[in-house]
Structures are given as C-alpha cells and as structure tokens.
C-alpha cells in the first residue's frame, strides 16, 4: 500500500487530495502509467509529465526512481512559493 | 534558527524589531518581505496551498544549507498558507551576520531556493476566473548562481 | 523616497513596519540594518563623524541613481552620526519593488555606494585607545559590480 | 577666500575642523603644497595624498582639479559609512 498525494492543479484535475493505492509498480513512471490508464481525469493530470514534479517520502525525486520501500508519493506542478 | 509555516498573519515590523540584533558579533541584518501583488487590479485573493510535513522538511534543509554555507548568527523564515488578500504579507526571511555580504547572499539564497524547492503553490482568485501561478523559468535559473 | 541623517536613534522594527507596503504593485521589500559590532569585546563606543551638507547631497545622488536604475516603488535611507554604543543601529536602507531581484539589487547598490561615497567616518573608542576605521579595499572593489 | 574643511584624522592632525584661507593656488594640488609648507601638523596631514580624498563644493573631486570659483574645499580620508 502506498499513499498517493496530489497538489494544486493535479489535485483539481484528479478531484482528490490523496488516496491509498495497492500497486505493483516498480518505479514512479510505472505508477504514472498505471494511474493514467484509470480514467480521463488521471490521463489529463498526467498528460505532460514534464510539467510535473514528484516527491517520494517528502523528498523531491525523479520519475525513474524505484518505489520499493516508499510509503508516500506526491505529484504536483513546479513549486511557486516565496 | 527559526522556521514557521502558518496560516495566521505575521507582523513584519515586529519580526524585524526583534530579530538578530542581540549578538555583539552581528554587524548586518537583511530582511525580505514578500507581499501579495495585484498587477491587474481585480485580484480577490491569493490562495496558497502547501504540503504539510514536506514543507517543514524542505524549509529546514534550505535553512541548514544557508547556515553551513555562510557564517550566520541567526536566520528566520516565515511562510504563510491559506487565503491572502492583496497587500498582505506572504512570507519573510531574515539573516544576521558579521558583514553585509554574507547577510545579503544568504537572504537571496534562501529566497531563490524557497521559490523553487519548497512545496507551496499559489492560485490567484480573480473576479474573472482563477488561475494557478506558473513557475517562472528565471526562478529555476536563479538556482544556478549558487 | 526618504533620506534621513540624524543623531537620534531610530527603531528598525517600526521603520520596517511602515515602509513600502501600501502600493498594490509592491511584491518585494528588502531592508538592511547596520549595527555597531564589537569584535574585540572592549569597544566603548563608535563615533561617527560626517560632513553636514555634503552628506545629504551624496545620499540624495546615490538614492536618485538607484531610483533611475531600478523600478522602485519606494526607497528609504537612514544614517546616524555621533557616539553609538555596541549593538546600536547605525543605519538602514529599505527598497520596495514589484519583484525581488530589483529590491535586492537596489538595496545592495545603496549599501555599496553608501560605504564608499557618502562622507561618514567611523572611529572606534576602545578602553585600550582609539582608532579610525580603515576603508576596506573590498568596499571600494564592490562598486565595480554596478 | 576659500573655506577649507578637515574631517576625521585629517582634522585631528591639523587640529582644526575648518579655516578660511586666502590663496592663489590654481589647483587642489597647489593648495596642498601651500598648506604642507605651513608647519609640521599640515605636513603630517598631507604627507600621503594617496590616502586622502578631496571634495570641491561638496562634490568628490580630483587633486588635479582647478580651484577657480570654488568656495569650499574639504580634505578627508576614504569614507567608512554604512
């Protein structure tokens, strides 16, 4: 089980702030492919991965990173703090 | 070192008044205040979303990097989230050091990293519709100088 | 644009609290505070001499240069003279602009020029004798970046 | 008649903050030579001109600058404000 979090317009497109997912995805990219296949909302949110960032257990990471041992995955657009 | 992530307003003057001036080795204090700007004149509010948990970690890591890179006597970061009105204070950083170069550089470093590496997202709520603020290429490019 | 040359103390927090935050086009406020440092631990006071008349002109010219070079909503310079105790505020600058780059650059420009082009001289009064503070080569060199 | 002002250690060495001088000096450098010849205090103050700055009518200037029309000349060490 992995906790998946969505922020900003990713959250709005998917319509959820977070969900628990049972997955066999080995990398972030695998998880993205799996989620995109679910329905049009997910497909829209993940249409352009270059516009997205991912954090694994609250650390910025890469889409090629492995998921084993990871408990929390977050998807969001580039940050705009400050 | 003080890091605060909060919904509540903060008082920039009060924070500046009590920050970093007590050490006898402090010669320079730099502070930065970010304010909600209303360029088009029809901004109703600025909504700031963040990632509780990761936000504190990211700000802590950025602050640690500044403390180890410059010889700072003290450092302060405050960042708000929630709905802010035009003209309201969004965030501030402050640095105290012996010399001005370190205080200025560390404050700019904190701002550059905060902009692109701390998980905050801004949404402008306008009378004519709302939009997420886009990350600027030059904000990402600004990291290159450090 | 506000320039003050004065013997009296000023309240950095209060000045920061009321500076530059009223325009709806202000997104960034930077302030710098200079404090009397006591590196050796035996500083009795810092005496600041200035050149009345020229000081105001020099600060005015430096401020004008900053205003014409960057798009600033406002700018503040306060510089004290007379005898100051360790830990006391010597001077401050503040800048307000739409974006942080202009506010930071203008504040650093003001500081660099103030250091080497405004007619102030500092004398350290120590228990073991007094000495005029020497101009630093890197203060002069700092002007080269503008 | 020209008003001559001294600041910081220049003032201390000469022992005066200002004086009025009747001079025929054509440039700042001429005035410095004239003052240096007066006595040991002036000679000490002006011993190393490279350590000094000069302002003419409250504008930073050069030692080669002409004095005609100038009403106020100030000598001082490099500034240390901020």
């Amino acid at each position: 089980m992995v906790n998946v979090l969505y922020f900003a317009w990713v959250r709005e497109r998917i319509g959820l702030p977070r969900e628990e997912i049972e997955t066999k995805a080995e990398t972030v990219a695998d998880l993205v492919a799996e989620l995109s296949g679910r329905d049009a909302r997910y497909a829209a949110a993940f249409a352009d991965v270059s516009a997205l960032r991912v954090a694994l257990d609250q650390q910025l990471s890469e889409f090629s990173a492995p998921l084993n041992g990871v408990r929390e995955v977050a998807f969001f657009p580039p940050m705009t703090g400050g | 070192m003080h890091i605060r992530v909060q919904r509540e307003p903060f008082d920039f003057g009060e924070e500046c008044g009590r920050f970093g001036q007590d050490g006898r080795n402090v010669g320079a204090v730099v502070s930065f205040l970010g304010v909600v700007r209303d360029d088009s004149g029809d901004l109703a509010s600025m909504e700031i979303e963040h990632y509780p948990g990761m936000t504190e970690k990211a700000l802590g890591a950025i602050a640690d990097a500044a403390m180890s890179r410059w010889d700072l006597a003290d450092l302060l970061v405050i960042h708000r989230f929630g709905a802010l009105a035009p003209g309201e204070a969004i965030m501030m950083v402050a640095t105290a050091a012996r010399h001005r170069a370190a205080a200025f550089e560390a404050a700019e470093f904190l701002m550059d990293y905060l902009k692109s590496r701390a998980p905050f997202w801004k949404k402008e709520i306008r009378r004519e519709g709302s939009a997420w603020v886009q990350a600027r290429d030059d904000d990402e490019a600004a990291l290159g100088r450090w």
Side-chain angles (χ1 to χ4, degrees), chain A, chain B:
Chain A
M1 293 291 272
V2 63
N3 243 315
V4 185
L5 282 66
Y6 310 110
F7 291 96
W9 57 253
V10 183
R11 173 180 53 71
E12 290 178 338
R13 285 190 197 172
I14 292 176
L16 281 179
R18 64 164 63 215
E19 59 187 320
E20 280 213 317
I21 291 177
E22 189 81 60
T23 179
K24 292 203 171 68
E26 290 186 1
T27 65
V28 176
D30 292 344
L31 178 61
V32 167
E34 186 181 316
L35 290 168
S36 298
R38 280 187 172 181
D39 67 27
R41 294 171 308 154
Y42 288 92
F46 291 109
D48 178 10
V49 172
S50 75
L52 290 181
R53 301 289 178 267
V54 62
L56 301 182
D57 290 331
Q58 306 189 349
Q59 293 275 14
L60 273 180
S61 192
E62 304 293 330
F63 283 82
S64 57
L67 283 182
N68 52 311
V70 170
R71 294 150 46 131
E72 188 170 296
V73 179
F75 294 104
F76 41 77
M79 295 162 271
T80 55
Chain B
M1 196 171 107
H2 315 270
I3 297 175
R4 283 152 45 196
V5 181
Q6 62 188 48
R7 186 180 292 276
E8 301 69 39
F10 62 89
D11 185 319
F12 181 60
E14 209 170 278
E15 298 296 340
C16 288
R18 69 176 164 225
F19 173 79
Q21 292 153 62
D22 39 358
R24 80 180 160 76
N25 278 314
V26 171
V29 176
V30 168
S31 60
F32 176 89
L33 173 69
V35 178
V36 177
R37 219 173 54 226
D38 182 11
D39 285 342
S40 59
D42 76 336
L43 186 71
S45 75
M46 176 81 87
E47 279 183 11
I48 301 179
E49 181 169 338
H50 80 123
Y51 181 172
M54 179 170 169
T55 306
E56 292 77 4
K57 276 183 204 164
L59 293 180
I62 294 166
D64 284 345
M67 290 295 280
S68 68
R69 183 154 173 173
W70 290 277
D71 190 14
L72 301 177
D74 205 357
L75 175 164
L76 167 69
V77 176
I78 304 176
H79 205 302
R80 293 178 64 193
F81 58 89
L84 280 68
E88 268 196 89
I90 303 174
M91 52 81 61
M92 70 171 287
V93 305
T95 55
R98 295 183 69 244
H99 295 291
R100 75 187 189 286
F104 270 117
E105 284 176 23
E108 293 192 65
F109 171 92
L110 288 170
M111 286 306 305
D112 285 349
Y113 272 83
L114 262 163
K115 282 264 168 191
S116 308
R117 290 292 182 270
F120 289 98
W121 301 273
K122 294 196 189 99
K123 188 177 192 176
E124 294 180 337
I125 314 297
R126 305 194 170 279
R127 260 149 263 152
E128 307 296 317
S130 304
W132 291 96
V133 172
Q134 303 252 346
R136 292 155 48 117
D137 286 345
D138 54 351
D139 281 336
E140 188 64 31
L143 301 186
R145 61 173 163 159
W146 303 111

